[in-house]
Amino acid sequence: MADVKVRTRETGATAVVGRTGFPHVTSVTGGELDIVTGPSQAGYGPLDLLYASLASCLVLSARIAASRYGVLDRLTEVSAKVTGEKAHDEPSRVAKFNIVFDIKGDFDDTVRHAIAEAAENEICTVSNTIRGNPEFVTEFSH
């Protein structure tokens, strides 16, 4: 049997902040983003990025699910609105994610639910990671 090589896209991000100011995030693919810290400031804060990551992963995963079910040609649009509720106790964290899917296309609600379920529970790396218990490995550079 031949060896199968799997190509993976390098991912990751670096955030930098000084004694004052706002964090600046750079992705390994060259993306840049300034982070806001106040609720009235326009832009993305850390929780916004968490919700955006989940929402974008879910819509891409729903498209993959539609393809797996053989209905991609009938899919017209997928949107996912993600909000959350912070825990009232320590440690600081999101205790509940609220997801609202809008899956438009020429198919019935049974197919819509199957697409959403597969996207959320099988395909989306972000939702699978949040549900899991990933290991954190912390190092210090000098």
Side-chain angles (χ1 to χ4, degrees), residues 13 36 124 132:
V36 299
C124 176

Side-chain angles (χ1 to χ4, degrees), residues 9-137:
R9 179 175 164 243
E10 185 179 3
T11 60
T14 302
V16 178
V17 68
R19 189 175 56 78
T20 62
F22 301 108
H24 181 78
V25 177
T26 309
S27 74
V28 296
T29 57
E32 294 189 34
L33 185 62
D34 289 316
I35 305 300
V36 299
T37 57
S40 62
Q41 294 173 296
Y44 287 95
L47 284 178
D48 297 321
L49 292 174
L50 178 64
Y51 300 143
S53 293
L54 180 54
S56 59
C57 187
L58 287 170
V59 297
L60 291 171
S61 297
R63 189 168 66 189
I64 292 168
S67 178
R68 287 184 181 175
Y69 287 120
V71 297
L72 182 59
D73 60 329
R74 295 185 284 163
L75 178 74
T76 56
E77 184 179 85
V78 178
S79 68
K81 180 180 181 181
V82 176
T83 58
E85 298 173 27
K86 286 190 77 175
H88 298 290
D89 58 344
E90 295 292 329
S92 181
R93 68 195 183 283
V94 175
K96 181 178 181 182
F97 288 91
N98 302 302
I99 301 165
V100 178
F101 269 110
D102 187 7
I103 302 172
K104 296 178 180 170
D106 184 21
F107 33 75
D108 62 21
D109 284 344
T110 302
V111 173
R112 279 183 185 80
H113 288 276
I115 289 170
E117 173 122 357
E120 184 179 334
N121 297 315
E122 299 169 22
I123 301 168
C124 176
T125 301
V126 176
S127 63
N128 290 328
T129 301
I130 291 168
R131 280 199 177 93
N133 189 17
E135 179 182 0
F136 285 69
V137 178

